[in-house]
Amino acid sequence: MAMALALAERARLICPPNPAVGCVLVDADGQVIGQGHTQATGQAHAEVMALRDAQARGRVTAGATAYVTLEPCAHHGRTGPCADALIAAGVCKVVASLQDPNPRVAGQGLERLRAAGIEVEVGAGAEASRELNVGFFSRMTRQRPWVRMKVAASLDGRIALPNGTSQWITSPAAREDGHAWRARACAVLTGIGTVLRDDPRLDVRLPDATRQPMLVIADSRLRTPLEARLWQVPQRRVCIVGAGGADARREQDLRDRGADVLQLPGAGGRFDLSSLLAELARREINEVHVEAGAQLNAALWRTDAVDELLLYQAPRLLGEGAPLAALGPFTELAEGPRLEYIGIDRVGADLRIRARVAGR
């Protein structure tokens, strides 16, 4: 199962919106005869890749045990049912980490295997498998993506100087690590303030990047410049979220530029964040990676939209400046969001702190 989980890790950057799954086939003598992981959308799943690998090696799959990090699917989606492929291959046992939370599967794959006389075990590697697919589980069980907020800040919690200068607070190593977290997301969310102030591309600039997450811009009045650098990223979807009431010609100009303009009217002339998360889930967005300023960050915290904080903290003090989220003032300590540390690591000269909202 450790080998299968390592394979699933390799799938994480290429397979969204599908879950990252790994599969290892072992014969009766305990020898690995095939292995594979989920491919890009519309291509083979982990079990099929492992069976193909065994075939390429000239190995017999009858009587083998399959170790797979998620329940084999039992429905016809973009590909055929993996449970049927394992049955046809003659495996005698399947060890799965978790039941698939997708209502179209949800135990049906395991039942199909059992009905075919295959021994089934569930539970090995469950925690690691769920962590690999935390966004997929969120979308399936909560009908909303997993929201991870990335912040680069000083030791005193400032993300920019009073004049807006923020490049660069953290080290090149921290920025590269941030790209790796961008790469695993299905969407990057930012605000119009960041677009106007920094003119960022907000793309993944890693040598082995195979896809670009969708860029979602919170832009209530549709002020995104038509000449902004964000349009320079090839084959990336851009979704601009407005609050309604904007000039129709301006909306059409953005559509002509290639944007999907989504109007979600909310209170106070701002768009509705809960509606946005529901719509992103409908569009098969598993993980949202937030890179925004203090105002949008605060709005996300206030609506309980954030699940996890990814904080890169530089060993410097900036004094006055923009906070990581313009939340205050609170009158009681209990009013502030409470998080639990799940990881603290050194990245270059900085610290990378991962903290998760308690109970998630």
Side-chain angles (χ1 to χ4, degrees):
M1 187 60 76
M3 291 178 63
L5 287 164
L7 288 164
E9 176 74 36
R10 290 166 55 185
R12 189 158 57 179
L13 299 184
I14 65 170
C15 68
N18 290 333
V21 181
C23 179
V24 176
L25 297 172
V26 178
D27 67 14
D29 296 323
Q31 299 298 309
V32 173
I33 60 172
Q35 53 187 308
H37 61 70
T38 314
Q39 301 298 295
T41 303
Q43 299 181 29
H45 290 184
E47 299 91 332
V48 172
M49 292 300 294
L51 292 169
R52 288 178 183 174
D53 184 40
Q55 184 179 35
R57 299 186 193 194
R59 305 304 296 269
V60 176
T61 56
T65 296
Y67 292 86
V68 60
T69 60
L70 192 67
E71 174 186 3
C73 63
H75 66 289
H76 286 272
R78 297 181 179 96
T79 61
C82 292
D84 289 356
L86 292 173
I87 293 168
V91 302
C92 67
K93 182 176 180 179
V94 173
V95 181
S97 294
L98 288 165
Q99 180 174 300
D100 193 328
N102 186 342
R104 299 176 69 187
V105 184
Q108 296 178 57
L110 300 177
E111 286 307 311
R112 188 173 296 189
L113 294 170
R114 291 187 178 105
I118 296 173
E119 182 183 354
V120 173
E121 291 183 9
V122 181
E127 184 176 352
S129 178
R130 187 186 185 283
E131 187 64 28
L132 278 170
N133 294 292
V134 66
F136 179 75
F137 272 78
S138 177
R139 177 164 66 90
M140 289 298 161
T141 61
R142 302 190 300 168
Q143 290 73 56
R144 48 164 281 184
W146 184 264
V147 177
R148 181 179 294 107
M149 179 178 288
K150 179 259 184 180
V151 176
S154 61
L155 279 177
D156 48 354
R158 302 300 178 184
I159 63 173
L161 297 176
N163 64 8
T165 301
S166 61
Q167 297 179 347
W168 299 101
I169 293 173
T170 53
S171 65
R175 297 197 296 275
E176 183 176 356
D177 191 70
H179 274 273
W181 286 91
R182 255 186 217 172
R184 64 171 279 173
C186 294
V188 174
L189 171 63
T190 195
I192 184 59
T194 299
V195 171
L196 295 176
R197 181 180 62 251
D198 299 336
D199 193 20
R201 286 169 57 98
L202 289 171
D203 58 338
V204 176
R205 296 186 293 277
L206 297 175
D208 56 349
T210 58
R211 63 177 185 87
Q212 291 289 343
M214 179 171 68
L215 177 61
V216 181
I217 305 171
D219 183 6
S220 295
R221 292 181 286 161
L222 305 187
R223 293 183 292 156
T224 300
L226 299 177
E227 69 281 359
R229 294 174 66 236
L230 63 89
W231 303 108
Q232 299 172 8
V233 182
Q235 299 179 333
R236 177 177 65 179
R237 293 178 297 161
V238 176
C239 178
I240 298 178
V241 187
D247 180 77
R249 179 55 187 268
R250 178 61 179 170
E251 181 173 337
Q252 188 58 50
D253 287 345
L254 290 169
R255 293 187 189 277
D256 292 342
R257 195 67 175 86
D260 177 9
V261 179
L262 179 63
Q263 298 284 13
L264 297 173
R270 300 179 182 275
F271 69 86
D272 186 80
L273 281 169
S274 297
S275 296
L276 173 60
L277 293 180
E279 176 61 21
L280 291 177
R282 191 186 68 80
R283 298 184 183 201
E284 297 188 310
I285 299 298
N286 293 334
E287 291 187 13
V288 173
H289 178 89
V290 180
E291 293 196 37
Q295 298 302 320
L296 180 55
N297 285 353
L300 290 163
W301 283 110
R302 290 193 194 103
T303 55
D304 195 28
V306 183
D307 297 301
E308 185 176 325
L309 177 65
L310 177 66
L311 173 63
Y312 295 91
Q313 199 161 35
R316 63 172 67 188
L317 302 174
L318 296 184
E320 293 185 6
L324 63 87
L327 281 171
F330 295 130
T331 57
E332 300 288 340
L333 288 175
E335 293 180 273
R338 185 172 181 81
L339 296 87
E340 301 170 336
Y341 290 122
I342 59 173
I344 302 176
D345 300 284
R346 183 80 174 262
V347 179
D350 309 311
L351 289 181
R352 181 186 65 199
I353 300 171
R354 291 180 62 205
R356 189 164 288 179
V357 173
R360 294 192 185 162

